[in-house]
């Protein structure tokens, strides 16, 4: 009898994880091909394949604080122009515009108690619009 209960529990957990899968990676897995060479991601770097390390924004979450860093050199000719953070429902949490002498780093405060997906973008003046999807 315990084997059957364990099997049912395991099956229920696996089904839940499968159901969550597409939600957690909806953009990267499902929508990205539609935006190939328009919105660039680690999974879909399009024409900029090989430039992911310098353009995909890195996200660090501490409580409700989100720090965004793009590991990209900054010069007058080539630099990160802007970061944004947008919630899954389209709410814009914030943005930061950079000059070539700035560090491409920004911080944001998620709404109190927010749980779910959010998107962080990083725009390079030469290598376009990069995005990462994150779950809290
Ligand atoms: Fe770049």
């Amino acid at each position: 009898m315990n084997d059957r209960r364990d099997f049912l529990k395991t099956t229920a957990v696996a089904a839940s994880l499968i159901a969550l899968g597409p939600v957690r990676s909806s953009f990267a897995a499902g929508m990205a091909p539609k935006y190939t060479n328009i919105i660039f991601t680690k999974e879909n770097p399009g024409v900029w394949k090989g430039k992911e390390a310098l353009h995909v924004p890195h996200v660090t979450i501490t409580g409700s604080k989100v720090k965004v860093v793009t590991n990209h050199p900054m010069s007058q000719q080539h630099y990160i122009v802007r970061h944004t953070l947008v919630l899954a429902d389209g709410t814009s949490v914030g943005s930061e515009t950079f000059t070539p002498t700035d560090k491409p780093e920004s911080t944001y405060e998620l709404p109190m108690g927010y749980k779910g997906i959010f998107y962080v973008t990083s725009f390079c003046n030469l290598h376009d619009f990069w995005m990462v999807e994150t779950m809290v």
Side-chain angles (χ1 to χ4, degrees):
M1 189 61 133
N2 279 343
D3 288 345
R4 185 169 185 267
R5 283 190 186 141
D6 289 343
F7 172 76
L8 291 173
K9 283 183 195 172
T10 302
T11 303
V13 169
S16 299
L17 292 174
I18 289 168
L20 286 175
V23 172
R24 293 186 61 158
S25 60
S26 61
F27 191 89
M31 296 173 63
K34 182 178 178 181
Y35 296 104
T36 294
N37 292 326
I38 299 170
I39 299 173
F40 299 85
T41 64
K42 181 179 177 185
E43 298 79 12
N44 190 17
V47 295
W48 299 128
K49 186 170 177 54
K51 298 193 179 296
E52 298 92 324
L54 294 179
H55 293 86
V56 174
H58 295 269
V59 176
T60 306
I61 304 166
T62 307
S64 60
K65 191 165 277 189
V66 178
K67 182 173 183 180
V68 178
V69 175
T70 306
N71 292 327
H72 189 284
M74 299 290 272
S75 71
Q76 292 292 328
Q77 296 78 30
H78 184 192
Y79 64 100
I80 297 300
V81 176
R82 189 170 171 86
H83 284 164
T84 67
L85 192 153
V86 179
L87 302 182
D89 69 358
T91 301
S92 175
V93 171
S95 62
E96 185 81 30
T97 302
F98 305 107
T99 69
T101 57
D102 291 332
K103 286 185 176 179
E105 299 178 3
S106 57
T107 57
Y108 306 92
E109 188 79 26
L110 292 171
M112 187 176 290
Y114 182 78
K115 298 286 181 204
I117 292 172
F118 65 87
Y119 302 96
V120 170
T121 69
S122 181
F123 187 83
C124 171
N125 71 320
L126 296 183
H127 301 112
D128 303 316
F129 187 83
W130 293 75
M131 189 193 74
V132 67
E133 179 181 305
T134 302
M135 171 79 86
V136 286

